C-alpha cells in the first residue's frame, strides 16, 4: 500500500517497521532532539503521504512521548494528511473517571488533545477500559489475548490455570482460558486509592501442582503481580508466569516480580523491552488499514 506512510515515532521504531512491512508501506523515520529544558523537537526524515500511520506508544517518559505524538500528528495534518495514530499503550487510560473529589477525567482530555492535534483515528491495544475508549470519536481497540494465548499454548504448561489478579480482568482471563482450553479464575484485589498499595485475598480454590498464568492488561509497578504470585505460590501452585499486553515494568518491577516466584514475564511489543516477546504488528497493521 504505497499510498500509506508509516511514521516511526521515537518511542516505537521497531513496531513501526513491522507495521510498515505488513502494510507494504513507506517507512518514515523521525529524528528527536530533547532540549535542556526537556522540550522535544521532532523532525520527519522526508515528507509523508496523504495517509499517515503514526506509531508511538506512550510509555515513560509518558508526557514526552504523548507530546511527540501530537507534534507529529499536527505536522502531518498541516500537510493535508489523514492521520491514524497507533498508540498501543495509551497513557492516562486508567484515569477514565474522577475517583476522588477534585480530580479531572484525564483520559477524556488526552482524547481531545489528540483529536485537536489532527488525529482522525486511533488504534490501541487492550485499552484499560471501554470508558477510556469511549472518549474518542474514532477508535479501535486491538486485543492482545489471541496472540498471548497462542504463545502460552507453546509453553508446555502443566494443567494450566489462567488467573486475573482482580475482578476487573475476569473477562480477559476467561477469554484467554477459552483459547488455551484451560480454566480461569479471578482473584480479589483491592488498592488504596491514595497510597496505591495493593492487597489480594487468600484463595479458596485448589491450585496445587498446577501452573498459573497471571494475565493482566499492564504491569506497571508490579505490585498487583507480586501480590498475586505470592498468594498463588503459598497455595501450592507450580510454575507461575505473568503475561500482559503492556510491560511498563517501572523501576525494579521486573526484579521484584521474579523475586516473588514468577518464572517468566511475557508481554507484547506494545512497549519495547526485554519481555516484549509477542509481536502485535499484524493485527495493528490490519486495524490501521481499516481506519484509513
Ligand atoms: C488495574 O486495574 C490494571 O489492570 C493493572 O492490574 C494495574 O494497572 C497494574 O499496575 P501495577 O503493576 O502497578 O500493580
Amino acid at each position: 500500500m504505497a499510498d500509506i506512510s508509516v511514521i516511526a515515532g521515537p518511542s516505537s521504531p521497531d513496531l513501526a517497521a513491522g507495521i510498515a512491512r505488513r502494510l507494504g508501506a513507506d517507512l518514515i523515520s523521525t529524528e528527536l532532539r530533547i532540549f535542556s529544558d526537556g522540550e522535544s523537537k521532532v523532525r520527519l526524515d522526508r515528507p509523508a503521504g496523504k495517509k499517515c500511520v503514526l506509531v508511538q506508544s506512550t510509555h515513560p517518559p509518558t508526557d514526552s512521548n504523548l507530546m511527540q505524538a501530537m507534534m507529529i500528528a499536527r505536522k502531518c495534518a498541516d500537510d493535508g494528511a489523514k492521520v491514524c495514530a497507533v498508540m498501543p499503550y495509551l497513557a492516562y487510560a486508567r484515569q477514565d473517571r474522577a475517583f476522588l473529589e477534585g480530580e479531572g477525567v484525564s483520559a477524556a482530555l488526552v482524547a481531545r488533545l489528540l483529536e485537536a492535534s489532527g488525529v482522525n483515528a486511533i488504534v490501541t491495544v487492550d485499552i484499560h477500559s471501554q470508558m477510556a475508549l469511549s472518549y474518542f470519536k474514532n477508535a479501535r481497540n486491538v486485543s492482545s489475548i489471541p496472540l498471548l494465548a497462542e504463545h502460552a499454548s507453546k509453553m508446555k504448561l502443566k494443567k494450566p490455570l489462567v488467573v486475573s489478579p482482580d475482578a476487573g480482568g475476569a473477562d480477559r482471563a476467561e477469554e484467554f482460558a477459552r483459547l488455551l482450553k484451560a480454566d480461569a479464575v479471578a482473584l480479589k484485589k483491592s488498592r488504596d486509592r491514595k497510597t496505591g498499595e495493593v492487597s489480594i485475598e487468600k484463595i479458596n480454590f485448589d491450585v496445587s501442582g498446577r501452573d498459573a498464568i497471571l494475565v493482566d492488561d499492564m504491569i506497571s509497578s508490579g505490585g498487583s503481580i507480586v501480590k498475586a504470585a505470592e498468594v498463588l505460590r503459598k497455595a501450592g501452585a507450580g510454575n507461575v508466569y505473568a503475561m500482559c499486553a503492556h510491560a511498563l515494568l517501572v523501576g525494579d518491577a521486573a526484579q521484584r516480580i521474579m523475586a516473588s516466584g514468577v518464572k517468566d514475564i511475557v508481554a507484547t511489543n506494545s512497549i519495547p523491552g526485554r519481555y516484549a516477546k509477542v509481536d502485535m504488528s499484524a493485527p495493528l497493521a490490519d486495524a490501521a488499514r481499516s481506519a484509513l
Side-chain angles (χ1 to χ4, degrees), residues 94 128 166 189 191 198 216-224:
R94 285 184 288 184
H128 180 66
D166 53 40
K189 175 178 107 178
R191 188 190 287 273
V198 167
D216 213 339
D217 55 345
M218 69 182 83
I219 306 176
S220 185
S221 69
S224 305

Side-chain angles (χ1 to χ4, degrees), residues 201-224:
E201 283 182 22
K202 271 202 257 159
I203 56 178
N204 55 7
F205 47 85
D206 188 19
V207 283
S208 46
R210 299 184 72 172
D211 289 344
I213 307 172
L214 282 160
V215 180
D216 213 339
D217 55 345
M218 69 182 83
I219 306 176
S220 185
S221 69
S224 305

Side-chain angles (χ1 to χ4, degrees), residues 66 90-114 127-136:
L66 180 60
L90 187 62
Y92 293 93
R94 285 184 288 184
Q95 296 185 47
D96 57 358
R97 65 202 82 194
F99 294 98
L100 297 176
E101 208 175 287
E103 293 177 353
V105 183
S106 303
L109 170 66
V110 166
R112 287 172 67 184
L113 289 171
L114 287 168
I127 193 165
H128 180 66
S129 70
Q130 281 305 315
M131 179 80 98
L133 197 65
S134 73
Y135 297 125
F136 290 90

